[in-house]
Amino acid sequence: MSRPPASAPAAAQSAARLSPVPSTSAPPHHRGRKRPTPNVLPPEGRRDWRRSGLERPLSGWRGQEAEAARRGKMAAAGGGGGAASGGRRTCLLFCFVPLLAGLCQANSVERKIYIPLNRTAPCVRLLNATHQIGCQSSISGDTGVIHVVEEEEDLKWVLTDGPNPPYMVLLEGNLFTRKLMEKLKGTQRISGLAVALAKPSPLDGFSPSVECPNDGFGIYSNSYGSEYAHCKQLKWNPLGNGLAYEDFDFPIFLLEDENETQVIKQCYWDHNRGVNGSAPAYPLCAMQLFSHMHAVTSTVTCMRRSAIQSTFSINPEVVCDPLADFNVWNTLNPLNASGKLEPGDKVIIAATRLDSRSFFWNVAPGAESAVGSFITQLAVAEALQKAPDVAALPRNVMFVFFQGETFDYIGSSRMVYDMERGKFPVQLENIHSFLELGQVALRNSSDLWMHTDPMSQRDESISIEVHNLLTILKNSSTSVPNVTMREVNPQNSLPPSSLQRFLRSQNISGVVLTDHPGSFYNRYYQSIYDTPENIGLKYPATLTPDEAMDFVTDTAKSLAAVATVLGRALYQLAGGTNYTTIEADPITVSRLLYGFLVKANNSWFQSVIRQDLKVFLGDGPLQHYIAVSSPINTTYVVQYVLANLTGTVVNLTREQCQDPKKAQDANKDLYEYAWVQGPEDPSGTSRLSQCVRSTVRLAKAVSPAFELQQWGSSEYSTWTESRWKDIRARIFLVASKELEFVTLIVGLSILFVSLIVTYFINAKADILFTTPREPGAVSY
């Protein structure tokens, strides 16, 4: 599509009828390395601009004008030529000053024509070994006349009746379905789509994921457990419509701000609605969406192009990046991170995932699909660390928070890869058992379901160990109210889980805990509606932020009970006997729920994080999309919250904390040290910074496919994200084609007339700009 015309009448009417929406926050959809160049130079840039000599032409013209005036006074009789020359330069100066003033006002003119949409989230392009998915615009952005679709019948105007295609559809969130998107995908009368959030969330559910998540990258395949492969036995996500895995050749944006949505609708009602079915009169309200993607076809293609650029170009243009981040892990008792465990040392792994996604970039609330489970595991880690005999337990417990599991098990496959090659302190042979938390926040009764793998249990020794695991879990729940451990049919397959990647390499005893015995209870799996409301998180309206953070909701009580059961089971597996002393703190769970799902920028999160990382705490909830920025906000916050819950405050100075080699009693191999902001002092004017020692560490969560340069791998995840330069959206008034043509002709006419007049003035300058001689002047 071509750029929108900025005709004078349209601009005038836009200024008169449309009032810009104030920017409430910075656009969320620009990665730092791709952020467009600002329109206004920073102070340093402005100083460099003055130094560069770009102001010299003005000072030069002023100097020449003064010199011409001086010469005119010295030689009156023979000064006609000098006066003419000075006059020409004066004329040029007078012509240049209005032009300069016009350029300075260009930005304000743009603001009068366009209304930017500041709270939007785009659908971007992702690629794997064989496909590309997502959306993009043309290189100059796509433009269309806005048409609001509130009922499915409204599509008729867009698809057939409307006289002003292409159209930019503003779609109500409830209508964002696969059936409707297939209609829009098959027509050339659509230039883009803006989706408004549905409030309340769609009652029938909405999941843009697939019915069989991570199919082909778990343990089951056509050659191993074929009866369970490709979800033949059970569709885990039956509501999955697969929209997030489709490729669209037009831009699709989410409108996150109701006020901006209302401005667009008002513009549509004022300009685009015909009377009694007639065509609306110009000017019409239009929208322009920019989201051009650099990568195409597949990861194999984009990585090859990036590699060629990096090899032969001085300034390479990388077109895509692997999805990558870090896993967060720690152990109950410290272990040497630079060494390896002996084969006889056994470790129990407690695992969960950190990430989620949705159809739109970096909008991944993941309340049920991720947050509920990793919050529960954080509470488990705190409860176990408080056990009085934790240092004497014969077995260690390792807590792992995997990143990138949504995209074919990026985090878990990388950890298994490192374990197999001796690049991780714990080896596969050191794993005693594996307990994983799946989706656990939507228990519709007291039942908590235990899933096991039928294939690995064909090994009798593994079957005995799994049976022992189930017995311990049942015993752990006997005195915990509102939790009843239930076994799933042993012939059922495992749900999508990190345990599958470990079983793919080695048979180990493992159990996955979920709130569902079969298909997901989560109706909004991997969608923008997997919000706190989805898991029943509610607060009284009268509470202050600090009061809400400590308010124990029913959701917090439920997750704390699950954490207590898991904590007691891990304690017994580690060799402990007095397991009834293990109790998860509902206040901790409440704070975690509030911080991750309601408001990250709260007093507790501020106290546990480093000062340079406090900018990652926004006034809203954190988003849990893995992206390509490492680590993302969620990873950092989980890392420091876990350190706060399981670590200890040590008496080290800031310099010693940041460089433990300077402290005699610090051991960098066993512990990590972090200088955090700490709690507020009694006056509330500053914070009491402190050094926290913990066993919390980060490990790479990058698919081994990129280390091996096997970009077409079917063994490991190959997901990449396209790069882009500009993502933005705006609305404006567009004039009719006839008025645009007239405006163009008038503009060209004025240009030609100006050129002709300028030519004749320049040709007759000696006559037009000759100054009269001074009286009594004599020339020789």
Side-chain angles (χ1 to χ4, degrees), residues 31 33-34 125 127 292-295 316-321 628 721-725:
R31 288 175 284 182
R33 57 188 176 78
K34 300 171 186 170
R125 175 163 290 166
L127 309 100
H292 182 67
M293 301 286 123
H294 293 178
E317 183 73 21
V318 177
V319 296
C320 69
D321 301 281
V628 297
E721 182 184 272
S722 173
R723 285 199 178 190
W724 61 79
K725 287 185 178 178

Side-chain angles (χ1 to χ4, degrees), residues 152-197:
E152 195 166 346
E153 291 75 17
D154 297 336
L155 275 180
K156 186 179 179 183
W157 181 268
V158 173
L159 298 176
T160 57
D161 297 349
N164 306 114
Y167 285 96
M168 192 69 67
V169 176
L170 173 56
L171 189 67
E172 291 296 328
N174 288 312
L175 297 177
F176 188 51
T177 63
R178 186 180 185 90
K179 177 183 175 183
L180 187 140
M181 290 302 296
E182 286 176 349
K183 291 181 180 180
L184 299 183
K185 195 175 181 180
T187 178
Q188 298 298 317
R189 291 171 59 88
I190 300 296
S191 59
L193 187 68
V195 180
L197 273 173

Side-chain angles (χ1 to χ4, degrees), residues 632-645:
I632 62 170
N633 300 8
T634 299
T635 304
Y636 272 132
V637 176
V638 168
Q639 176 190 6
Y640 283 93
V641 167
L642 183 60
N644 176 267
L645 295 176

Side-chain angles (χ1 to χ4, degrees), residues 660-776:
K661 294 179 181 178
K662 298 180 179 179
Q664 292 182 351
D665 57 344
N667 192 326
K668 188 69 175 174
D669 289 332
L670 294 181
Y671 298 102
E672 285 287 311
Y673 297 83
W675 186 259
V676 300
Q677 293 194 100
E680 292 183 346
D681 64 9
S683 66
T685 57
S686 62
R687 290 189 173 273
L688 304 174
S689 298
Q690 55 194 13
C691 184
V692 175
R693 185 188 69 187
S694 71
T695 61
V696 180
R697 301 179 186 272
L698 299 180
K700 284 184 179 180
V702 184
S703 172
F706 298 102
E707 182 169 310
L708 300 170
Q709 295 190 353
Q710 296 175 359
W711 304 320
S713 172
S714 59
E715 171 70 15
Y716 299 111
S717 170
T718 54
W719 285 104
T720 55
E721 182 184 272
S722 173
R723 285 199 178 190
W724 61 79
K725 287 185 178 178
D726 192 18
I727 287 185
R728 55 194 170 98
R730 60 189 184 182
I731 63 173
F732 59 97
L733 294 182
V734 61
S736 65
K737 299 296 182 182
E738 293 78 8
L739 182 57
E740 291 176 6
F741 181 74
V742 170
T743 303
L744 176 63
I745 296 301
V746 171
L748 290 175
S749 301
I750 293 174
L751 173 64
F752 289 132
V753 170
S754 300
L755 291 174
I756 293 172
V757 170
T758 303
Y759 172 78
F760 280 108
I761 290 176
N762 188 61
K764 302 297 183 181
D766 292 346
I767 300 174
L768 294 175
F769 300 109
T770 300
T771 56
R773 296 180 179 180
E774 296 181 3

Side-chain angles (χ1 to χ4, degrees), residues 222-240:
N222 293 332
S223 59
Y224 184 83
S226 58
E227 62 270 33
Y228 306 115
H230 315 303
C231 295
K232 292 177 183 176
Q233 183 194 64
L234 177 65
K235 302 294 184 186
W236 291 105
N237 184 36
L239 293 178

Side-chain angles (χ1 to χ4, degrees), residues 486-552:
R486 299 284 300 275
E487 288 186 51
V488 176
N489 185 336
Q491 296 305 313
N492 286 358
S493 63
L494 280 174
S497 54
S498 305
L499 175 58
Q500 291 202 31
R501 286 303 301 194
F502 283 79
L503 290 174
R504 189 162 174 151
S505 295
Q506 179 173 302
N507 274 354
I508 57 177
S509 60
V511 175
V512 178
L513 303 180
T514 71
D515 54 22
H516 53 87
S519 300
F520 297 161
Y521 286 162
N522 187 2
R523 296 176 299 158
Y524 307 107
Y525 181 71
Q526 293 184 7
S527 86
I528 55 178
Y529 302 112
D530 191 5
T531 57
E533 292 77 15
N534 184 34
I535 60 174
L537 191 62
K538 298 178 182 178
Y539 297 95
T542 57
L543 298 181
T544 65
D546 284 344
E547 292 172 341
M549 184 172 61
D550 291 334
F551 181 77
V552 180

Side-chain angles (χ1 to χ4, degrees), residues 238-534:
L239 293 178
N241 57 30
L243 268 182
Y245 293 86
E246 291 288 327
D247 184 44
F248 297 92
D249 59 357
F250 53 83
I252 304 176
F253 277 52
L254 174 68
L255 302 176
E256 299 183 87
D257 192 316
E258 291 186 33
N259 292 330
E260 290 188 343
T261 303
Q262 194 57 39
V263 167
I264 298 172
K265 289 183 177 180
Q266 190 63 51
C267 186
Y268 164 77
W269 290 329
D270 290 344
H271 299 281
N272 294 6
R273 294 189 69 179
V275 179
N276 297 325
S278 62
Y282 284 96
L284 299 176
C285 191
M287 181 184 294
Q288 188 172 30
L289 302 178
F290 297 84
S291 62
H292 182 67
M293 301 286 123
H294 293 178
V296 294
T297 308
S298 66
T299 290
V300 177
T301 301
C302 80
M303 291 299 292
R304 183 177 65 245
R305 290 177 179 176
S306 297
I308 293 173
Q309 285 276 338
S310 300
T311 303
F312 297 103
S313 175
I314 298 177
N315 187 21
E317 183 73 21
V318 177
V319 296
C320 69
D321 301 281
L323 294 182
D325 202 85
F326 286 87
N327 298 322
V328 182
W329 68 279
N330 83 316
T331 52
L332 197 58
N333 290 310
L335 56 83
N336 190 341
S338 61
K340 298 177 186 177
L341 291 181
E342 295 296 326
D345 295 332
K346 296 299 181 181
V347 173
I348 298 100
I349 292 183
T352 189
R353 66 170 59 189
L354 284 179
D355 67 304
S356 183
R357 68 165 299 197
S358 74
F359 186 87
F360 301 98
W361 186 79
N362 204 33
V363 181
E368 160 72 345
S369 60
V371 180
S373 57
F374 75 66
I375 280 177
T376 303
Q377 180 147 302
L378 287 169
V380 173
E382 180 194 37
L384 275 182
Q385 199 68 49
K386 290 179 179 178
D389 60 342
V390 64
L393 295 176
R395 301 189 189 99
N396 211 342
V397 178
M398 183 172 79
F399 296 95
V400 187
F401 301 79
F402 290 116
Q403 267 286 11
E405 296 301 273
T406 300
F407 294 95
D408 299 335
Y409 305 119
I410 292 175
S412 56
S413 63
R414 180 53 186 254
M415 182 165 284
V416 171
Y417 175 84
D418 288 341
M419 286 180 171
E420 290 175 331
R421 285 154 182 78
K423 298 180 180 179
F424 194 78
V426 179
Q427 312 298 302
L428 287 174
E429 62 186 11
N430 297 123
I431 299 176
H432 173 271
S433 50
F434 196 108
L435 290 180
E436 180 174 357
L437 280 174
Q439 300 179 87
V440 294
L442 283 179
R443 289 189 298 133
N444 56 11
S445 63
S446 63
D447 295 337
L448 187 64
W449 296 90
M450 302 179 289
H451 300 258
T452 58
D453 169 47
M455 297 298 298
S456 59
Q457 290 187 73
R458 293 177 182 178
D459 182 330
E460 185 176 354
S461 62
I462 297 297
S463 180
I464 294 173
E465 292 176 4
V466 169
H467 181 74
N468 182 53
L469 267 180
L470 298 175
T471 302
I472 290 175
L473 283 165
K474 289 177 182 178
N475 291 339
S476 301
S477 66
T478 52
S479 59
V480 179
N482 301 321
V483 179
T484 303
M485 304 304 297
R486 299 284 300 275
E487 288 186 51
V488 176
N489 185 336
Q491 296 305 313
N492 286 358
S493 63
L494 280 174
S497 54
S498 305
L499 175 58
Q500 291 202 31
R501 286 303 301 194
F502 283 79
L503 290 174
R504 189 162 174 151
S505 295
Q506 179 173 302
N507 274 354
I508 57 177
S509 60
V511 175
V512 178
L513 303 180
T514 71
D515 54 22
H516 53 87
S519 300
F520 297 161
Y521 286 162
N522 187 2
R523 296 176 299 158
Y524 307 107
Y525 181 71
Q526 293 184 7
S527 86
I528 55 178
Y529 302 112
D530 191 5
T531 57
E533 292 77 15
N534 184 34

Side-chain angles (χ1 to χ4, degrees), residues 380-381 383-384 476 562-572 579 582:
V380 173
L384 275 182
S476 301
V562 174
T564 297
V565 172
L566 180 58
R568 292 179 178 183
L570 291 171
Y571 179 77
Q572 291 180 74
Y579 65 89
I582 306 298

